[in-house]
Amino acid sequence: MLNSPQPIAITSDWKLELSQSVTTIDELLDSLDLDKKALSTSQQAAIDFPLRVPRPFIARMQPNNPNDPLLLQVLPVKAELTIIEGYSQDPLDEATHNPIAGIVHKYANRLLLVISPACAINCRYCFRRHFPYEENRQSKEQWQSALDYIRSDKEINEVIYSGGDPLAANDHFLAWLTEQIANIAHIKRLRIHTRLPVVIPSRIDQTFLSWATATRLKPIVVLHINHSNEIDSDVAASIKRLQDCGIKVLNQSVLLRGINDSADCLAELSEKLFDCDVMPYYLHLLDPVAGASHFDIDENHAKTIYAELQAILPGFLVPKLVREVPHQKSKTTIAP
Ligand SMILES: *Cc1c(COP(=O)(O)O)cnc(C)c1O
Ligand code: SF4
């Protein structure tokens, strides 16, 4: 049984903070005291995939540092325009696992729902940067066919809210959908894959916690944090609000060139996650999505970093190194 949320004092309103996100290269660089000439930014890249970054995330970037690991995750650069063979629009071939709008069903007993087309932050390395979200935008009526699909497949015991970022959707809709899913007897767990509690910590408010704790489904939140600098006291407080209600919190990261590609950096992240009682879950190799090749770490180099990481962390703080291979029944573990 989950604990009901204790009244909490959050002074900011997440929707307001979301609407105040920075969307231009100039404003982002100005706020960090950076000279545009020192960086190979690209307006074209920002047209292809818009720049979007919430202010609480910018507040954790170091001013005057063109190599800041948080900045590099969101800044549109010229390297994105390079066309490289093997990097495609839909690297995971999700189109073939999109049986009906809103559903990606690849693994037997768990099913992913594309809840929200939007994200609070646009990560340049994102493998869904070309996903046809418009085709997956749905009304409550249209969700009925997704619910029928879940109802008809008794092998499914876990529903994963994904996106985009599922928590970019409003709580009224999420509460409704969760209730519909809870009415399907064979579903045990509800997993929420989100970056919102990290980039706008006030997202975890009373309204969210009310529906997330009221359901019979056991909720798990999987955060997406790549670098220890992403965790400040507001993020830690947001995580604690989840945990105080009995919600398990895990983290997944993507191994990214120039951002977290060293054992020391990854170890520091795991330690900081542990301080927040968050268990590292996955460390993903980059999916070969067009526009993100400059973030890629080849598999052999990744294995070397991983072996170093294993040598400096207890086993339970080492995330699983995985890659998503199209048409496999699960993520593929990369052997050490
Ligand atoms: C990653 C993923 C899942 C969840 O996989 P786990 O190994 O259970 O975390 C489910 N469906 C899809 C389509 C995925 O990409
Ligand atoms: S889906 Fe996740 S990784 Fe992709 S842009 Fe949104 S928050 Fe970033």
Side-chain angles (χ1 to χ4, degrees):
M1 193 61 205
L2 296 168
N3 310 325
S4 342
Q6 296 298 313
I8 39 178
I10 299 177
T11 46
S12 38
D13 166 358
W14 73 270
K15 285 189 180 158
L16 182 67
E17 288 192 282
L18 183 64
S19 70
Q20 291 169 340
S21 295
V22 170
T23 55
T24 67
I25 295 175
D26 288 345
E27 192 184 350
L28 177 59
L29 296 185
D30 282 350
S31 66
L32 296 167
D33 269 337
L34 281 165
D35 183 359
K36 206 165 160 182
K37 290 189 212 85
L39 291 141
S40 56
T41 59
S42 165
Q43 270 324 328
Q44 185 57 47
I47 290 167
D48 296 348
F49 182 51
L51 180 151
R52 185 173 182 85
V53 50
R55 291 173 198 272
F57 195 76
I58 299 174
R60 293 168 229 153
M61 296 177 186
Q62 301 148 347
N64 247 306
N65 178 4
N67 296 317
D68 179 84
L70 277 57
L71 173 67
L72 295 183
Q73 294 182 47
V74 299
L75 187 69
V77 293
K78 293 200 180 80
E80 293 177 38
L81 306 176
T82 319
I83 294 166
I84 297 197
E85 215 184 301
Y87 291 79
S88 71
Q89 303 264 322
D90 179 14
L92 306 183
D93 195 16
E94 286 197 325
T96 59
H97 300 281
N98 202 195
I100 50 175
I103 284 186
V104 182
H105 192 196
K106 279 162 73 172
Y107 305 160
N109 57 3
R110 47 223 194 276
L111 167 140
L112 200 144
L113 291 182
V114 178
I115 300 287
S116 160
C119 285
I121 187 166
N122 282 348
C123 313
R124 307 315 297 178
Y125 53 83
C126 182
F127 75 94
R128 293 218 175 97
R129 52 184 286 167
H130 311 283
F131 193 79
Y133 285 120
E134 287 307 318
E135 292 164 30
N136 277 275
R137 194 188 287 273
Q138 299 206 295
S139 66
K140 270 189 189 175
E141 289 69 38
Q142 289 168 318
W143 276 103
Q144 292 304 338
S145 49
L147 290 164
D148 288 342
Y149 182 96
I150 301 171
R151 230 172 259 126
S152 69
D153 186 346
K154 296 207 164 46
E155 252 192 277
I156 303 168
N157 61 15
E158 176 170 350
V159 170
I160 302 174
Y161 286 0
S162 181
D165 196 312
L167 296 193
N170 70 62
D171 285 311
H172 182 75
F173 169 74
L174 290 167
W176 171 82
L177 186 67
T178 304
E179 200 182 317
Q180 306 303 307
I181 294 169
N183 285 338
I184 303 174
H186 52 270
I187 306 302
K188 280 171 65 177
R189 281 186 293 276
L190 172 67
R191 206 193 311 177
I192 304 175
H193 279 198
T194 177
R195 196 150 158 68
L196 251 154
V198 182
V199 299
I200 304 180
S202 63
R203 179 64 184 90
I204 304 305
D205 60 7
Q206 202 79 27
T207 317
F208 167 81
L209 291 170
S210 304
W211 69 259
T213 55
T215 171
R216 95 177 156 78
L217 302 170
K218 202 157 167 55
I220 302 165
V221 168
V222 181
L223 298 175
H224 174 179
I225 303 173
N226 298 313
H227 192 281
S228 59
N229 290 4
E230 289 174 50
I231 307 172
D232 66 359
S233 57
D234 289 343
V235 175
S238 151
I239 292 170
K240 190 159 185 311
R241 288 197 287 278
L242 291 166
Q243 293 163 332
D244 283 348
C245 293
I247 299 174
K248 277 192 185 28
V249 186
L250 307 172
N251 182 63
Q252 56 181 345
S253 313
V254 182
L255 184 60
L256 297 164
R257 176 178 303 278
I259 291 170
N260 61 6
D261 53 338
S262 78
D264 286 342
C265 181
L266 293 167
E268 203 176 321
L269 172 60
S270 278
E271 292 287 359
K272 208 150 164 189
L273 289 169
F274 182 75
D275 292 342
C276 298
D277 289 324
V278 176
M279 296 310 281
Y281 181 37
Y282 281 143
L283 176 61
H284 294 266
L285 292 186
L286 187 84
D287 298 311
V289 63
S293 61
H294 56 295
F295 288 119
D296 209 359
I297 302 279
D298 76 57
E299 198 167 306
N300 280 331
H301 185 195
K303 284 184 192 169
T304 308
I305 296 171
Y306 194 70
E308 287 167 18
L309 186 63
Q310 286 179 304
I312 56 177
L313 282 178
F316 59 85
L317 287 186
V318 182
K320 281 184 217 165
L321 181 64
V322 293
R323 179 195 282 294
E324 180 88 14
V325 179
H327 314 296
Q328 294 299 305
K329 294 282 162 222
S330 71
K331 314 256 182 259
T332 302
T333 308
I334 308 297

